[in-house]
Amino acid sequence: MMNLNRNNTRIRRTPVPTGLLLNPHLSNDAKAAAAILYACDYSQWSLAEMAAELHTTEEKLSEVFSELNEWRYLDIHFEDGVSVLTLL
């Protein structure tokens, strides 16, 4: 299904890339986590704080971030001993 405006051009209704949402290889958890990262500023959050806010475990959140990294939607690197997540 495609949303059209009066000029018959596509309307983007979400900050999350459509390709990410439609990727059949990504789990729903990974899609939801990416959507949250696109919508919110989590730059100063620890993994434990994020997990608590999302009502999940640190291990599950780590798995989700690894999945997003594997499919090249998320870059994970270290700066000054801190993990830095960058959406691609």
Side-chain angles (χ1 to χ4, degrees):
M1 179 193 285
M2 185 182 302
N3 293 318
L4 301 174
N5 66 11
R6 293 181 189 174
N7 297 325
N8 289 334
T9 58
R10 252 175 98 185
I11 298 171
R12 189 171 179 191
R13 296 183 183 264
T14 175
V16 183
T18 304
L20 182 145
L21 295 174
L22 296 178
N23 185 333
H25 303 289
L26 284 178
S27 68
N28 288 337
D29 288 339
K31 292 175 185 181
I36 290 167
L37 290 174
Y38 272 102
C40 301
D41 177 21
Y42 284 103
S43 59
Q44 300 297 316
W45 287 47
S46 72
L47 187 63
E49 290 171 326
M50 282 179 122
E53 286 295 317
L54 298 173
H55 305 287
T56 189
T57 64
E58 292 179 50
E59 293 79 18
K60 179 62 179 171
L61 201 53
S62 293
E63 290 172 14
V64 166
F65 289 156
S66 293
E67 182 180 356
L68 290 168
N69 179 257
E70 178 183 332
W71 286 96
R72 299 192 173 137
Y73 291 109
L74 184 69
D75 177 52
I76 303 170
H77 62 278
F78 293 93
E79 291 179 9
D80 300 323
V82 176
S83 297
V84 178
L85 307 177
T86 307
L87 290 163
L88 304 175

